[in-house]
Amino acid sequence: LVALAEAVLEVSMTVIRTAMRFAPLAVFGLMAETMSASGLKTLADLAIYCGIVLSGLGLLLALYILIAVVIGRINPVRFLRAVGPVQLLAFSTSSSAAVMPLTMKTAVDKLGTPATLAGAVVPLASTVNMAGTALYQSVAIIFLADMSGSPLAFGDLALIMVTLTGASIGAPAAPGASIAILSATAASFGIPLSGLALVLGVDRILDMARTSVNVTG
C-alpha cells in the first residue's frame, strides 16, 4: 500500500510539475487573446485594478497597525520590526500556512504573547482571518463584471462582498487558492469569466501582497 501510494504521488507530482511549466505560457496566451479582443485599454484597466487592490490592502495594513497600537499598546515601529521577517516570508511564499511556525515564534519571542495563547490563536487565524483575500476578491469581481459589460447593482455588490467574506473564512492557506473561490462566486452570480485571464496574469503579485497583510492581521 505504501509503495502504491508513493507511485501515485510521483505520478501526480509529475503531472503538476508539467502543468506548472506550461502555466505561464497558457496565461500569456489567454491575456494575449483578451487584449486582442479588447485593445490596449485593457492594460490601463488592469493597472487601475491592481492599484485599487494594493491601496485597499495598504489601508487594511494601517488598520491592523492601529489596532496593535491602541489595543495592544505596542509601539508601531517595534511592532513592524518584530513582524518584518514574517511579512517577508509571507510575501515570498504566498502561504499563511507556510509561515505559521515563524508567526507563532515571533508572537511568543518578540511580542510577548503567552505560548498557549499563540498556539490557540495563530492556527485558527491563519484560516479564519483572511480579510485581505476577501478585499481582493471583491475588487476582482467588480473588475470581471466591468470587463464583461455587466455592471452590478449596489444590492448585488453588498451581497457579493458578504458572500466573499464568508467564503474567505474557509479558504485554504495556500498560493492561488482564492482563484477557485473567485471563479465559483462569479459564476454563481452570472458574471462572465472572460476577464479571468487578466486576473490570473497579475494574481501572483497581488497574492503575495494580500498574504503579507493576512499574516500581519
Side-chain angles (χ1 to χ4, degrees), residues 27-113:
V27 171
F28 175 77
L30 287 169
M31 290 186 68
E33 180 186 13
T34 304
M35 287 185 58
S36 63
S38 306
L40 289 177
K41 180 180 177 295
T42 307
L43 283 180
D45 295 337
L46 190 62
I48 294 173
Y49 157 70
C50 292
I52 292 174
V53 172
L54 293 175
S55 299
L57 292 175
L59 290 174
L60 188 58
L61 179 62
L63 175 62
Y64 284 149
I65 295 173
L66 181 63
I67 291 174
V69 172
V70 175
I71 299 179
R73 299 184 183 281
I74 184 173
N75 185 284
V77 176
R78 179 187 164 223
F79 175 74
L80 289 175
R81 283 179 178 171
V83 303
V86 186
Q87 291 175 323
L88 183 60
L89 185 60
F91 187 82
S92 59
T93 61
S94 298
S95 172
S96 302
V99 301
M100 195 185 304
L102 183 59
T103 304
M104 295 177 65
K105 181 177 175 60
T106 301
V108 175
D109 295 346
K110 296 185 178 180
L111 298 177
T113 306

Side-chain angles (χ1 to χ4, degrees), residues 3-212:
L4 176 61
E6 289 177 346
V8 172
L9 174 63
E10 184 59 34
V11 171
S12 300
M13 292 304 296
T14 301
V15 172
I16 291 172
R17 281 195 295 266
T18 304
M20 289 179 67
R21 288 192 185 101
F22 286 101
L25 298 175
V27 171
F28 175 77
L30 287 169
M31 290 186 68
E33 180 186 13
T34 304
M35 287 185 58
S36 63
S38 306
L40 289 177
K41 180 180 177 295
T42 307
L43 283 180
D45 295 337
L46 190 62
I48 294 173
Y49 157 70
C50 292
I52 292 174
V53 172
L54 293 175
S55 299
L57 292 175
L59 290 174
L60 188 58
L61 179 62
L63 175 62
Y64 284 149
I65 295 173
L66 181 63
I67 291 174
V69 172
V70 175
I71 299 179
R73 299 184 183 281
I74 184 173
N75 185 284
V77 176
R78 179 187 164 223
F79 175 74
L80 289 175
R81 283 179 178 171
V83 303
V86 186
Q87 291 175 323
L88 183 60
L89 185 60
F91 187 82
S92 59
T93 61
S94 298
S95 172
S96 302
V99 301
M100 195 185 304
L102 183 59
T103 304
M104 295 177 65
K105 181 177 175 60
T106 301
V108 175
D109 295 346
K110 296 185 178 180
L111 298 177
T113 306
T116 52
L117 183 62
V121 172
V122 172
L124 178 65
S126 293
T127 301
V128 174
N129 187 33
M130 294 286 187
T133 301
L135 185 150
Y136 152 78
Q137 290 178 339
S138 299
V139 178
I141 283 281
I142 297 173
F143 176 71
L144 290 175
D146 287 343
M147 284 292 297
S148 62
S150 308
L152 298 168
F154 180 78
D156 293 332
L157 285 174
L159 182 59
I160 285 174
M161 289 177 186
V162 171
T163 302
L164 289 173
T165 301
S168 68
I169 292 175
S178 59
I179 287 293
I181 299 174
L182 175 64
S183 304
T185 305
S188 65
F189 280 91
I191 299 173
L193 298 177
S194 54
L196 188 61
L198 297 174
V199 173
L200 282 170
V202 296
D203 179 68
R204 181 63 178 177
I205 299 171
L206 300 180
D207 194 5
M208 293 189 294
R210 65 178 179 265
T211 302
S212 297

